[in-house]
Amino acid sequence: MMLGKILVANRGEIAVRVMRACREMSIPCVAVYSEADRDALFVKYADEAFCIGPPPARASYLNIAKVIEVAKGCGAGAIHPGYGFLAENPEFARVCEKEGIKFIGPSSRVLALMGDKVAARREMRKAGVPVVPGADECITEFGPARDVAREIGYPVIIKPSGGGGGIGMTVVTREEELAGALKSSQAVATNTFGICDVYIEKYLPDPRHIEFQLLGDSKGNGIHLGERECSIQRRHQKLVEESPSPAVTASMRAEMGEIAAGAARFVGYEGAGTMEFLFSEGKFYFLEVNARVQVEHPVTEMVTGVDIVKEQIRIASGLPLGLRQEEVRMNGWALECRINAEDPLNEFAPSPGRIREYRPPGGPGVRVDDGVYVRYSIPPFYDPMISKVIVWGRDRMEAVSRMRRALYEYVILGIKNNLAFHRALMENPRFVKGELDTGFIERETGLLQETKRTMDEEAWLGKGWSSSSGDLKRIAAVSAVAALIRR
């Protein structure tokens, strides 16, 4: 029996995305929002909406008691956590289980296991997944750290066991740096995640970041939906994703996918999740499991035709997976660009503010997941994502060409954003060839130079234009004209 009313415990584009799936499945959806999001699109889109506190996330979106109170009060029998905030919080899942509210995701047991990076390493090793050489225990003192580093060889990387997003990670190239790096990483881990536990792995310089989309149901079934390439990153945070990966062959996909799906079955994984790998010199190693729907899930949806959010809801309703592994087909190529309110010329610093004009792209093979509109103010309290542009092509070259076209159609005025950076990236010869790794942006210094030139050209071409003087169509053409100038 399908779930009844679903509360979406998130905000922005992912809240809208989940609510769209609910609407197609004729399931009422409920929004919870902070005072900063009172005028947000997801609040307007929901069937019901309830304010749960002031702007700081700890007082609103991370307030477990308040979210549960609203769910019980409005009769929502299930909660979809989206990504971020409470999505991978085992305590939140435990409270949902205790209160008889269906958490749309893995069990609290699995969330606790996957949230502890060291425990996850041990469990994946048991499941037969290749793991990066390193410690399978937390390290608190210099002596054990030195012994591990000597055993696996420098360079090594120190990582907080309870964190993510690159926070607290420190690369160490020689033993003289180890003691200071250990203390520094522990301090950041304590301040950010509340625990000082860290561990040490072999550092793989500039690998590819490849992940497999997983689905598992309560009947013990587990499958994968192929891989995504997520190597274009800044500060360990993804900017561009694609599926499939230019580096993965059909035989590699079958091998890596079966290992990932097998591991999911081994731990009793239920719902949608992602197993992430580092790929270097022809070998792949387990990195972590993201026990939730990913920001980049649309590229997998575009090439497989599977609605991942609907599958999450079906699984949470107690239904078996809607397809078997042999029925999964990957067709064509998909790319996703994350469009953020940030300044690429100032180390991608967040740049919140009011959107003066907004015109997303369209046309064949283009999808835009967003949560904004004209005159909407992006608040400074949360991730500054504006939207995700996703395109599909018959092959990678068509997908890249289509993304170029979509980015040049996209108009966002009033706030700084990274559109110009993405346009420059889509013209980069190494990117076009698929020669990717996690150090790509740092090494391709010409990207920022080209971004600045694009931004300067568009500012000059658009000088003095505004929507009030009837110039919207010309504003929409500015970026395309700038592209012609460069050619």
Side-chain angles (χ1 to χ4, degrees):
M1 182 176 178
M2 197 63 66
L3 292 172
K5 185 183 292 186
I6 295 176
L7 184 149
V8 182
N10 216 295
R11 63 178 302 278
E13 61 85 18
I14 188 58
V16 175
R17 166 70 185 94
V18 173
M19 291 174 189
R20 283 175 171 156
C22 290
R23 186 144 299 176
E24 291 181 17
M25 300 174 81
S26 299
I27 299 173
C29 53
V30 180
V32 289
Y33 62 93
S34 76
E35 292 169 0
D37 279 332
R38 188 174 300 277
D39 296 322
L41 182 62
F42 76 95
V43 176
K44 300 175 184 293
Y45 193 91
D47 296 301
E48 300 175 71
F50 299 89
C51 184
I52 55 171
R58 289 193 177 278
S60 50
Y61 296 108
L62 293 174
N63 188 333
I64 294 176
K66 192 65 178 177
V67 172
I68 295 295
E69 177 188 329
V70 171
K72 294 173 69 175
C74 72
I79 295 178
H80 194 301
Y83 55 73
F85 292 136
L86 297 171
E88 295 179 277
N89 187 312
E91 177 59 26
F92 181 54
R94 275 193 291 270
V95 173
C96 288
E97 293 162 0
K98 178 183 176 183
E99 296 292 340
I101 298 171
K102 183 61 182 178
F103 177 81
I104 301 179
S107 67
S108 58
R109 177 191 65 83
V110 171
L111 283 176
L113 178 63
M114 294 299 106
D116 183 331
K117 307 299 189 217
V118 177
R121 277 175 56 89
R122 292 195 297 265
E123 199 71 10
M124 290 302 103
R125 200 187 293 277
K126 291 179 188 176
V129 182
V131 176
V132 178
D136 281 346
E137 301 291 341
C138 292
I139 291 175
T140 57
E141 297 181 357
F142 173 73
R146 178 196 58 207
D147 294 343
V148 171
R150 286 179 177 177
E151 179 182 350
I152 63 178
Y154 289 92
V156 300
I157 184 167
I158 303 172
K159 297 181 176 181
S161 66
I167 299 171
M169 293 185 186
T170 308
V171 177
V172 183
T173 58
R174 52 198 179 95
E175 192 167 292
E176 291 79 3
E177 303 169 351
L178 186 60
L182 181 64
K183 290 181 180 178
S184 173
S185 187
Q186 288 174 323
V188 173
T190 301
N191 292 335
T192 306
F193 308 115
I195 55 173
C196 69
D197 293 344
V198 299
Y199 64 106
I200 295 178
E201 286 182 344
K202 178 70 176 176
Y203 177 67
L204 304 176
D206 300 329
R208 286 180 180 261
H209 185 136
I210 294 173
E211 61 188 31
F212 274 73
Q213 176 67 57
L214 304 173
L215 290 173
D217 63 23
S218 60
K219 319 299 182 185
N221 302 308
I223 65 171
H224 73 85
L225 301 180
E227 83 282 359
R228 297 186 286 256
E229 172 96 39
C230 306
S231 297
I232 302 298
Q233 306 176 4
R234 47 100 170 94
R235 297 193 301 275
H236 301 284
Q237 295 177 329
K238 304 165 188 173
L239 280 177
V240 176
E241 302 93 359
E242 59 186 289
S243 182
S245 163
V248 174
T249 64
S251 60
M252 289 168 56
R253 179 175 303 117
E255 178 187 5
M256 295 174 72
E258 179 49 39
I259 287 175
R265 293 190 293 267
F266 179 79
V267 300
Y269 195 93
E270 183 178 334
T274 303
M275 182 168 289
E276 306 202 356
F277 294 96
L278 296 179
F279 182 76
S280 178
E281 298 179 345
K283 297 180 180 180
F284 59 93
Y285 305 92
F286 170 77
L287 177 62
E288 64 182 358
V289 170
N290 283 301
R292 52 175 167 77
V293 67
Q294 289 274 77
V295 177
E296 57 272 20
H297 75 275
V299 293
T300 297
E301 294 182 328
M302 296 286 267
V303 297
T304 64
V306 176
D307 188 314
I308 293 171
V309 176
K310 284 186 180 179
E311 283 298 315
Q312 285 186 293
I313 295 171
R314 284 174 49 85
I315 292 166
S317 300
L319 300 174
L321 286 174
L323 71 168
R324 299 186 301 272
Q325 188 64 64
E326 58 268 25
E327 296 175 314
V328 176
R329 297 286 185 271
M330 298 182 72
N331 176 37
W333 212 285
L335 278 168
E336 174 180 293
C337 289
R338 300 188 188 191
I339 310 304
N340 299 324
E342 60 186 17
D343 185 357
L345 304 182
N346 185 25
E347 298 183 345
F348 297 94
S351 182
R354 183 178 292 274
I355 296 174
R356 183 161 54 88
E357 295 296 345
Y358 184 73
R359 177 176 165 177
V366 178
R367 164 180 167 180
V368 178
D369 284 15
D370 60 16
V372 302
Y373 53 88
V374 176
R375 292 186 294 281
Y376 173 71
S377 290
I378 296 178
F381 309 101
Y382 318 111
D383 184 278
M385 182 180 290
I386 298 171
S387 70
K388 303 178 305 197
V389 181
I390 310 103
V391 302
W392 180 90
R394 290 167 294 181
D395 53 32
R396 190 170 189 272
M397 287 309 301
E398 184 174 58
V400 171
S401 297
R402 185 160 281 164
M403 182 62 82
R404 285 178 189 151
R405 187 266 295 172
L407 292 171
Y408 284 122
E409 286 182 8
Y410 209 158
V411 176
I412 304 172
L413 299 180
I415 55 173
K416 293 181 179 178
N417 59 76
N418 61 353
L419 275 173
F421 173 83
H422 283 296
R423 292 167 185 155
L425 179 64
M426 291 298 133
E427 302 284 355
N428 180 275
R430 283 192 61 233
F431 178 84
V432 172
K433 292 178 183 177
E435 298 173 356
L436 315 177
D437 58 67
T438 55
F440 186 96
I441 291 178
E442 288 76 9
R443 190 164 46 254
E444 293 291 304
T445 55
L447 277 174
L448 291 181
Q449 296 170 1
E450 185 64 21
T451 298
K452 184 177 187 307
R453 185 167 69 150
T454 299
M455 293 172 73
D456 288 346
E457 287 170 352
E458 293 177 3
W460 176 74
L461 284 168
K463 189 175 182 181
W465 294 0
S466 69
S467 59
S468 60
S469 58
D471 287 320
L472 254 185
K473 289 184 179 179
R474 283 194 290 166
I475 291 172
V478 163
S479 55
V481 172
L484 291 174
I485 290 174
R486 284 193 295 278
R487 294 172 188 229

